[in-house]
Amino acid sequence: MSFGRVSRLRSVVGIVERLVPEAPSRPQGGDRRRHGDREVLAAIVFVATSGCTRQQLPSASFGPSGATAHRHFSEWTKARVWAKLYRLVLDELGSRGELDRSHCAIDSVNMRALKGDLTGPNPVDRGKYSSKIHLITEQTGLPISVGISAANLHDSQALTPLVKGIPPIRSRRGRRRRKPGKLHGDKGYDYSHLRQWLRQRGITHRIARKGVESSQRLGRHRWTIERAMAWLAGCRRLHRRYERKADHFLAFTSIVCTLICYRRLKTTPGVVKAAP
């Protein structure tokens, strides 16, 4: 891992320590000493970025074993720690005015899956079982809403829940904002009921029309989301889905999106504060 990635990781660890629930205690006492949250989070982020399995985790470098890191990962996923962390980083970006929601883009990417929930035959990969990551990014390419589904789910069916899943993010001035100003999409979202649904909510749509617009010009405003998907692919844990549970796969996706957004924040200690 590079020095810049290590420094960002240390800053993220300080934030997560405020969000992690208290460790359960045994009434009879005599429990084994638990590893620190910093060590466990460093091991989880290493698994997400390197793509190694739990058995391949170098415990001599991080401290906890692969089984211990996975147990903490499951506990924190159940407590929605990753969702809270993602929301916290987005709030900090919004308060600094570094989120431009005037032009947003929506798209999806397929990831090969071995087995588990929310998997299905991929129609563009010879029916191989895969999962799909749906993403909405703001104008500069930062992800503000993410979701997963089976690969055989049409992209148009994910637009409504993905737009509703955008959290109310803080702004530099005024109240929290939730909906994007304009939403760009490819021809997979070219349906009249989706256009009407967006208009009813005051969202300007810019969706390519089938048989009318050329596919060669779709990247004029959507190149940012293509770059964001390349950032996701930079974390090798998302190259192929190994998690049986869909919640765990979504948790790794949220971790990667949090790291992408955190790159925009300065590394000044104590800048990001957890909500009470």
Side-chain angles (χ1 to χ4, degrees), residues 168-180:
I169 306 173
R170 292 171 55 188
S171 302
R172 175 173 291 183
R173 298 180 181 86
R175 58 184 179 85
R176 293 176 177 266
R177 290 188 55 189
R178 189 164 193 164
K179 63 181 181 180

Side-chain angles (χ1 to χ4, degrees), residues 105-117:
I106 182 173
D107 207 345
S108 65
V109 59
N110 293 308
M111 300 293 178
R112 184 74 63 85
L114 299 179
K115 59 183 68 175
D117 303 333

